[in-house]
Structure formats: C-alpha cells, structure tokens
Amino acid sequence: MAKTSGYLKADELKTPLASFKNLEVSIGKVIVEEEEWEPMGPTPKPTLAELRSWTVDRLLKKYRPFYAPFCDRCCLCTYGHCDLTAGKRGACGITIEDTQGRIVLLACTIGASAHAGHARHMLHDLIKRVGPDYPIDLGNDIAVEAPVIRNVIGIKPQVLGDLEEVLDYVENQIVQGVSACHTGQEGSYIDFEAKALHIGLMDFVGMETADLIQITGLNLPKGEGDAPLVEIGLGCIDPEKPMILVIGHNVIPSVGVIDYMREHNLEDNLELAGICCTAIDFTRYDPGYKIVGSIARQLTSIRSGVPDVIMVDEQCIRTDVIYEAAKIKAAFIATNEKNCLGLQNRTFDSVQDIVDDLVKYAMAGEAKGALILDGEKAGEVAVRTALKLAPLRKKFKQVPDKKQITEFAKLCTECYDCERACPNDLPTSVAVKAGASGDLSLLADLYEDCVGCGRCSEACRKDIPVKTLIDAAAEKQIKSDVYKVRVGRGPIKDTEIRNVGAPIVLGEIPGVIAYVGCANYPAGPTEVAKMAEEFLKRRYIVVVSGCSAMDIARYKDEEGLTLYEKYPGDFDAGGLVNVGSCVSNGHIVGAAIKIANIFARRPLRANFEEIADYVLNRVGACGVAWGAYSQKAASIATGVNIYGIPVIVGPHGSKYRRMYLGRSDIDEDWYVYNARTGDKVYVGPAPEHLIIAAENMDECIVQTAKLCLRPNDTFKGRAIKLSHWIDLYRRKYGKDFPDDVHKYIRVEGDIPVTFKEDLLRVLKDRNWKPTEIPDPTLYERLVKAKK
C-alpha cells in the first residue's frame, strides 16, 4: 500500500450544479495499491526505545560515553543550580553524567529539528509548485531512491506527497526526544545516549527527505559525477554590478531570485552569490551563479560593502546580520518564519511598496527590513531592490584604507583581550600593533586562518574593529580569492555501488572518508583540503558536503588547480565526491546502506539492526568533522555513529562534551559471532572509537586511516589498510610502528609485504598469536539465520 495526497487544481470547472474558478481541493490521503517491493522488516518506524538492543546492548557497551563537562552544575530548573561534584546528585536526583547525556540529547534534537523543519518548509513550497503527485524519479541508475527512509521507516516513496508521512514520523520522534529532557524524565546517561543516537538517526531520515524533496521539485543533479564546476570566493564577485547576497540553507527564496532574473532577462545585469548551503543548492539549480564561501565568510563579505541586498533564510546565520547590513546601507530581507528578526511581515504588501521602503531604510542606515514568507515574491523584491539601490549606494562599497587602519591600530594598548577571545588564539595583538607602524602584513596573514566569529572586535576595550582590519589588510588576497568547486551531485548511483561494493567490503579500496561539517577549523580551511588530498592520492574514496565541500576548494596546487579540478567526481577509488549541502549528508550514509543492500543483498526494508551491524563490521568508512560547531553537526555525527561509522572531530569538537571511546585494552569488548560457525571470535579493536577528537591535522590523518579497519577485511584488504596506516604513522610521528599494531594483525597474511620482516620481529616481541578471520556479526540470531 502507498499513501499519497489527493489534490485537484483547476482554473475553471463547470458541473450541472455549479461553476468554479481557481478551484483547489485537497482530499487528504488516498490509499493506492502498489506492488510489494520487499517484505516488511522487524522495525518499521522504530520508537525511542525500540532500537535499544542495538544502541544500549551493543554499541554503548563497546563504545562507552566519555564526558568532558563545561561545568559541574545543573541549572535547568528552579531547584538549581545544583552542585554535581564528587558524586553528588541534584535536587531531582540527577548525576553529572546524566546531565551531560541530557545536554547531548538536547543538542541532537535541536540539530535534527533544524533539518526536519527545513524539509517541511520545502515540501510545503514545492508541493505548491509541482503538486503532491509529482513523481520521485532519480533516473535509470538509481532504483534505491531513499535507502535511509526504506531502512528506517519501511516505505518506498514514489511521489512528493509520500514524504508527508516520513516527516510526520520524524517530527513525532523529535518531540519524544525533547520530552525525555524534561526534569524528572529520563535518569540514565546511557539511555540519554541511546535516545541521542535515535535522534541522530531521525536526522538522517530528515536530511535524506529534504534533499529528495529539492532534487525532485527543483530538478537538481541526480548523481552525475561530472557535475559542472562553479566559481567560489569573494574575488569572483563583480563589484560594479548590483549584488544580492543570500545566506542560509533553504534554497527556495534563492530560486525565486533566479526565476525572476530568468523571466526578465536580467542574468547578466546582477550578481547573485551566497554563503553556506543555500549557495551550494542554488548552484545545483543553476550553475551560472556564484558561491562566496562557508559560514566563516559572513562578516568579511558584508563589511566589504559589496552587497546591495542581503537576503537570509534559515540556519547558521549571524543573528546580528541585520545590523551589519545597516552599517553598509544594504537592504535586508528575511524569508523564513524560523528567523523573523523582529521584522514586520510584508508578505501580502505590494512589491513596489516593499521595494520603496527597503531603499529608504537602507539609505538611512536603519536596521530595518522586510519579512517576506513567499519565496517567489522575496525573489522579485530582492532583484528590484538591488537594481534601484545599487546606483544610490556605490560610494559605500569600500573598506578602510591603509591610513584608517593605522589610525585604528594606534589605539591598541596591547591588553591581549582580543587574543584571549579568539577561538584559535591567533596573534591579533601583535598584528594590530604592527599595523600601527604601517606594517599590515601580519594582519593580512591572519585572514585565511580567521574563522570569522568577530569575537576579537567585541572583546576590544578600545572598540578597535579588529576583524575589519584583518579583512582590509587582506584586500589583495580577497581580490584573488577565486577558486573552483564542483556542484553538489546528490545521491550515489546504484551502478557505482555495484562497482565498488566488493572492493570496499573486502578492504581493497582502503576506505571511504567523508569530510563534513562546519568551518570552525583550528588552523584554517586549507587543512581540510590537505587531509582530503592525502587520501585521494592513496585511492580512498573522499566524499564531502556543506562548508567542508566549499572550503576544500580554497586550496590550489603549484599549477593553480583546486582538488575539484584534479580529481574526478565519481564514487570510486581516488574520486572526490561533492554530494551537496548539509541535507545531502543523507546520501553518504545512504551509500553505506546501499552497499549492504545492493552488493550484499541484505534485506533493507525496516531492517535497521542487520544493516547497521553489516556497516559496522564490513564498510570501511570514517567521517571527519574538522570544523564542527553547530547542534546540526552534533546530530549528524551521532546519526553516523548509530550506523557504526566512526567520526573524528577537530579540537573544538571536544566542546560537544561527549566522545564515544573504545577500550582496546579490554579484549572482551572486541568479540563477535562468526556467522559461519556460531563461535565467538576476537577481532581486535576495529573500529576502535565511534567519535573522538584529534588535536591536530597529523593526528587526524593517522587516526582516519586506522578507523577504516574492519573485522571483515580480507587479509589482502587488511594488508592494504595497514600499509597506509603504518606509512602515515611513520611520516607524521617519525616512529617505526604504532604501539598497538599487533592487535590488528590476525594472520601473517595481513602483514604488508614492505613491512613484513620488521613486523614479524615486533609480533614475536609482543607474544602475538594468529586469530580467525570471521564472517562477523554482533547478533547471534543472524548466525542462526545463516545456519
């Protein structure tokens, strides 16, 4: 059975009883018979507690939560604040471990709700655009169109309207997750973590749904590896043209801009550029437009004075952006009910009145704007406002000159407040002091490593706009800030999975590395690109999304080529695959699920535990969220973890307060069932951790290679993986072998030929004994099924 919306729209309808004009009728749900595509599995639409046999009984026993609290008190209710030090309990009976688990769950519910709310808004808008019965068709090379939805919910969505049921379920589960955080509800940190994992899973259902909605409703790319290259960087913007800057994640208002420009032949008359995932997605809709960059570029791009209109939608938008717009006399438009910014709702006002008011507010430097909750109308207003406003505010398109920078810098008292406020402890005081004597080079050197938070300016007791001085000093760098990024391709094709499934599972393709997440990097965006290229050269598959996908483009080799120009976009060894925006992350986990389903022929429908068990033990994948900062990144990482895929975060990631760490010294944790015999077999700590923070780039690179090891590796595949891990360990640490290398050698055939003689001596010194290479599973019932 399939459920779809009954919907009728007619300009004119005549019947014997009456005549109608502009008629719209919604019948709710119509049940339509469909061919049974696969028997229903054991866990359709699992509840908060239904997957505890996986999360509590298996994952969290192997990968124990490790907490790093920000403080040792709980301040959630009016009984508090409660001191939770030294084993004390709060007024409600809660412990410090429970409190940390609750904070993690809250972060995951916030992140998952952002993606689910995004999906709900897009579904509403695109059903209005194309109708609920618009078919979901990803082309001849993709039959498994929604692997996460099929695996978790147990339905096969065929039309846009089918996704209503999906979002109803996700929203229900998020509500249940939030309710568990209420005082006097859940009282076990392990069950808080189990719920966080469940909500992370809901996030992946929501993200896959969101991207499926926009791919279908807007005809975005459907898995094409040779998606076009587009320009990225502030330097690619023509400052002589009227310019609209969009910021956020919901592409619908940007589509309104593009459609209006197309209809009125204005594509060559204006610049449209974006920050964050909305920019990735509007270049998927039309690759003729430009990306400024990640979230870190917001202040720089606005304070440059180039934008004439700033239009925001939802997520990862600075909350002071309207005030920043007023400083440069730019018009401001908000387009989403989740981000109204105190503005008057102008959705039903005439376009001309809104345009006139926006120009008036901008020229007066007022922090005012318009809230327009109609993407099509917002697009028209943005274009018309930019055309009218640009000639009036040209003189405001400037940054401080050298003399002004020097005058500001002379105010510095070297108190070092700016450095203490900087997340990365950049030497801002030294740079500002050098600027006072006319040397701007040290300020310019900070530009690339700056995360764009502006805390240095806020901390300065002399009101020196430190962030602005950095950008102004780097004017030459900004003008040459032009790179190429491949358009987000969306899903991984079934045909690609058939080609790489066996090499990945057997270990001959050493791993799939996903660089995802935000731009809060410890040492600038080039580190992400350098890490990605390290593994591309070694013929890993590298998958990217969101801010990481954009920032990987900000690195060129000696010949001036970006990684996107050097490496193909196919999901194959040595491929650099940009799936798209944040919501496109669903395709990354979807690829692992497809390997289990398409290659290994494991039942997919509502069969979560078996698929997750397969991925944990067989699919050598690892996520890296090097600049993660948001609650969305927390829920994404936790959703990856529930499928048994490890994640490495940068040093700032420790502020999420929780890691999932394995104990390689406890051998009992690393036994699995051999599905061929039913025996329990020691397989070593593979993968060793589910989420862990790395202190620096070199540590992350070595850990990434290590976390691609899997119990199912053939001896040939294990030898390939070990050779990469050992080689990287030697290069980065200058030592011969990792201290625990013997735990990952099961039989002599696992030893890489190039290290064999030396490793055999190491194994002898450590009393190594060979172990069995099993057909691994954590479920005894799967053994019985095979027998």
Side-chain angles (χ1 to χ4, degrees), residues 237-238 241-245 270-274 292 306-310 386 390 397:
I237 308 301
D238 183 352
K241 290 183 180 180
M243 192 267 201
I244 301 168
L245 176 68
L270 295 94
E271 286 276 40
L272 171 66
V292 172
V306 174
D308 296 293
V309 174
I310 297 171
K397 294 185 177 181

Side-chain angles (χ1 to χ4, degrees), residues 554-573:
R554 299 181 57 82
Y555 173 75
K556 294 180 180 179
D557 66 8
E558 298 80 4
E559 298 177 5
L561 297 177
T562 67
L563 297 187
Y564 292 105
E565 295 169 286
K566 293 174 64 174
Y567 296 95
D570 303 311
F571 191 79
D572 202 348

Side-chain angles (χ1 to χ4, degrees), residues 692-755:
I692 186 171
E695 188 173 344
N696 54 54
M697 179 178 69
D698 289 345
E699 182 184 339
C700 182
I701 289 172
V702 175
Q703 190 70 253
T704 301
K706 183 180 184 182
L707 289 178
C708 287
L709 296 162
R710 290 296 180 276
N712 189 68
D713 296 336
T714 63
F715 62 83
K716 178 183 177 182
R718 179 59 64 91
I720 292 171
K721 292 183 180 185
L722 285 175
S723 68
H724 289 297
W725 176 34
I726 294 169
D727 181 60
L728 287 166
Y729 181 87
R730 287 183 163 190
R731 289 172 183 266
K732 303 302 180 183
Y733 294 144
K735 300 179 182 179
D736 284 341
F737 296 106
D739 293 339
D740 57 348
V741 67
H742 59 288
K743 294 179 180 289
Y744 297 93
I745 298 173
R746 303 157 301 177
V747 296
E748 194 171 317
D750 287 347
I751 302 174
V753 174
T754 51
F755 302 122

Side-chain angles (χ1 to χ4, degrees), residues 178-189:
V178 174
S179 73
C181 297
H182 192 278
T183 302
Q185 287 272 51
E186 184 58 73
S188 162
Y189 74 93

